[in-house]
Amino acid sequence: MVSERDKILVAGATGGVGQLVVAKLLAKNLQVRALTRTRAKARSMFDNRVDAVEGDIRYSDTLAEAVRDIDYIICCTGTTAFPSLRWDFTNFFQPSNTPEAVDSKGVKNLVAAAPSDLKRLVFVSSAGVLRKDELPYNILNAFGVLDAKLAGEKAIVSSGIPYTIIRPARLIDGPYTSYDLNTLLRAKTDGKKGVKIESGDCFSGETSRIDVANACVESLFSDNTINKDFSIVNDGERPENVDWLQLFSRL
């Protein structure tokens, strides 16, 4: 299990899920290195409490410093499922920030760069990767986001690196990108919905970004999540305290 001596790299650290992952790791007094395209943004967002390294998983030659002496990687990178400004249409016919570039090629680059003794790679994937021909996932996959996520999953599994793959449903709550670390540390799941976890790709509905971040971090404390993939969704009444180890014990 993870300890305070371990160094954890968060890829996509300033994104909608990644920023919450970083905050939750810091709340547990764990050592965090933030992989970000803009170092100043990460330093400002996390109040200079992280080791911010500039890099981009789309470009393999930018990753050496980020992965040096790292024990765990949590990959929260991603882009929009449908064409948007986030696809970076500098060249209209060849956007550079597509799902294929980020979730397939980028994840493969991260896997290739990972230290040989990496203890775990946690990857935020998506519900529907194994149901791409079913509604509504065939619509969601119109521009290949689920194809790319699945390619990223396969690269991780085939690498031999211990892994945890998390498949949330439609993301809700946040993102909190315009706020500071204090806001992120106080972030609570909106409403009173409970957390359901099950192996495979089986849920539809909504998943709080906050609980995706919780799952990323709490999975590091559970050996039962090693080399497992699971779906996560919010549903039912939320208990006062979510017992993550109990949830993971069902995998």
Side-chain angles (χ1 to χ4, degrees):
M1 293 191 298
V2 69
S3 74
E4 292 183 6
R5 296 185 302 275
D6 291 316
K7 296 179 181 178
I8 305 166
L9 175 69
V10 180
T14 60
V17 172
Q19 58 190 311
L20 292 163
V21 168
V22 171
K24 291 179 183 301
L25 292 170
L26 292 175
K28 291 180 179 290
N29 296 313
L30 295 170
Q31 297 183 60
V32 181
R33 180 176 296 163
L35 176 60
T36 175
R37 297 177 186 177
T38 310
R39 182 184 283 112
K41 179 180 180 181
R43 286 177 173 170
S44 174
M45 179 178 288
F46 304 123
D47 198 23
N48 291 312
R49 288 180 58 188
V50 302
D51 175 17
V53 175
E54 221 164 75
D56 190 328
I57 66 169
R58 296 175 299 170
Y59 308 110
S60 58
D61 59 353
T62 70
L63 299 177
E65 181 184 356
V67 301
R68 186 177 295 116
D69 300 323
I70 284 296
D71 298 289
Y72 292 86
I73 296 175
I74 301 177
C75 182
C76 309
T77 54
T79 187
T80 56
F82 299 96
S84 71
L85 291 177
R86 285 185 61 190
W87 279 31
D88 193 3
F89 282 94
T90 304
N91 180 333
F92 184 80
F93 297 101
Q94 290 183 309
S96 63
N97 202 51
T98 62
E100 171 66 20
V102 176
D103 294 315
S104 179
K105 179 183 176 182
V107 173
K108 292 173 184 176
N109 288 339
L110 188 61
V111 168
S116 59
D117 58 350
L118 192 72
K119 296 178 181 178
R120 188 99 64 93
L121 198 164
V122 178
F123 178 52
V124 179
S125 184
S126 173
V129 291
L130 303 182
R131 296 174 286 168
K132 294 181 293 181
D133 296 330
E134 303 175 15
L135 283 169
Y137 301 109
N138 56 352
I139 298 172
L140 178 63
N141 196 43
F143 291 88
V145 66
L146 298 180
D147 292 330
K149 285 287 189 185
L150 186 59
E153 287 190 15
K154 289 180 176 179
I156 293 167
V157 172
S158 64
S159 71
I161 296 171
Y163 66 85
T164 302
I165 293 171
I166 301 172
R167 297 176 178 140
R170 186 175 70 85
L171 293 173
I172 60 171
D173 295 340
Y176 297 86
T177 308
S178 62
Y179 294 88
D180 59 15
L181 179 60
N182 287 330
T183 301
L184 297 174
L185 289 170
R186 292 194 302 268
K188 304 292 184 183
T189 299
D190 189 23
K192 298 184 180 298
K193 290 188 177 181
V195 179
K196 290 186 176 180
I197 286 176
E198 191 169 320
S199 296
D201 176 23
C202 53
F203 289 142
S204 299
E206 298 178 334
T207 311
S208 167
R209 286 181 174 86
I210 302 168
D211 280 326
V212 177
N214 280 327
C216 288
V217 174
E218 297 297 335
S219 68
L220 301 183
F221 295 89
S222 170
D223 288 345
N224 205 50
T225 61
I226 297 174
N227 295 339
K228 300 286 179 66
D229 57 76
F230 61 86
S231 302
I232 178 170
V233 72
N234 289 110
D235 189 38
E237 186 175 351
R238 190 178 186 89
E240 184 175 349
N241 295 298
V242 175
D243 188 337
W244 289 96
L245 292 181
Q246 177 62 30
L247 288 171
F248 295 145
S249 72
R250 303 169 187 171
L251 296 176

